[in-house]
Amino acid sequence: MENIVAPATETGVQRFEPNPKMVWGGIGGMSVLGGVVLAAMDYFKLAPEPSLARAVCVCLGTPLVVITIFWFRAGRHGCPSLVVDAAGLTLETKSSRAILPWNELSEIILAGDSVLKFVSRNAREPLRLDNLGFTPQQWKQIKSVLESRGYQFKIGYSAL
């Protein structure tokens, strides 16, 4: 999947596709960096006796643990795509699709400029769109499309 923003056509459908390689690269890079830093701290600062074998295990184990947690939490479902049309908005992953008509959307909460929560009168929990895999230009376009429909973002306090 490429970073795709389908321009508005005569039907008014806009599709925002994230790039999963960008997400996996970021998670992988940060976990490797964290593993190296933790291994160095373990070898030089934290341990009563420095152990090269333990430092190597920490260096290799940290990325595996972080990537496994990410896989179970979000990675196996894929990054959600956003489709905006005249009828409403749709969040799609590899395994699910959630459709929210405009007349059911009561408010949009922006948490930390990285999470959009779409609150519906008919749902217990809001639909959530994380900024995973979207470029900064795509994220700005998503927000501007929602603002052009007359919605104002409420500021949320937590992205969790």
Side-chain angles (χ1 to χ4, degrees), residues 27-48:
I27 295 294
M30 292 305 292
S31 64
V32 167
L33 178 66
V36 169
V37 168
L38 282 176
M41 286 180 61
D42 179 61
Y43 188 79
F44 293 111
K45 288 283 231 183
L46 301 176

Side-chain angles (χ1 to χ4, degrees), residues 3 30-31 43 54 56 79 99 103 107 110 134 151 156:
N3 284 339
M30 292 305 292
S31 64
Y43 188 79
R54 186 178 61 234
V56 168
C79 299
I99 300 171
N103 59 359
E107 65 183 10
L110 178 64
F134 294 112
Y151 291 98

Side-chain angles (χ1 to χ4, degrees), residues 14-68:
Q14 287 185 305
R15 183 174 189 87
F16 300 95
E17 292 280 342
N19 184 356
K21 291 178 184 176
M22 191 167 74
V23 176
W24 282 104
I27 295 294
M30 292 305 292
S31 64
V32 167
L33 178 66
V36 169
V37 168
L38 282 176
M41 286 180 61
D42 179 61
Y43 188 79
F44 293 111
K45 288 283 231 183
L46 301 176
E49 292 182 24
S51 169
L52 186 60
R54 186 178 61 234
V56 168
C57 289
V58 168
C59 187
L60 296 176
T62 301
L64 290 176
V65 168
V66 170
I67 289 172
T68 302

Side-chain angles (χ1 to χ4, degrees), residues 71-131:
W71 171 256
F72 281 115
R73 189 164 181 265
R76 60 186 168 160
H77 303 295
C79 299
S81 300
L82 177 68
V83 179
V84 179
D85 58 10
L89 57 91
T90 305
L91 293 175
E92 300 175 341
T93 63
K94 290 188 285 187
S95 59
S96 67
R97 176 180 293 153
I99 300 171
L100 183 60
W102 293 118
N103 59 359
E104 290 184 16
L105 182 59
S106 59
E107 65 183 10
I108 302 173
I109 300 171
L110 178 64
D113 199 40
S114 63
V115 176
L116 288 172
K117 296 179 183 178
F118 302 102
V119 180
S120 170
R121 295 183 294 266
N122 300 329
R124 286 186 180 181
E125 294 185 11
L127 290 177
R128 179 183 170 119
L129 179 65
D130 293 314
N131 187 1

Side-chain angles (χ1 to χ4, degrees), residues 1 40 153:
M1 287 180 160
F153 300 124

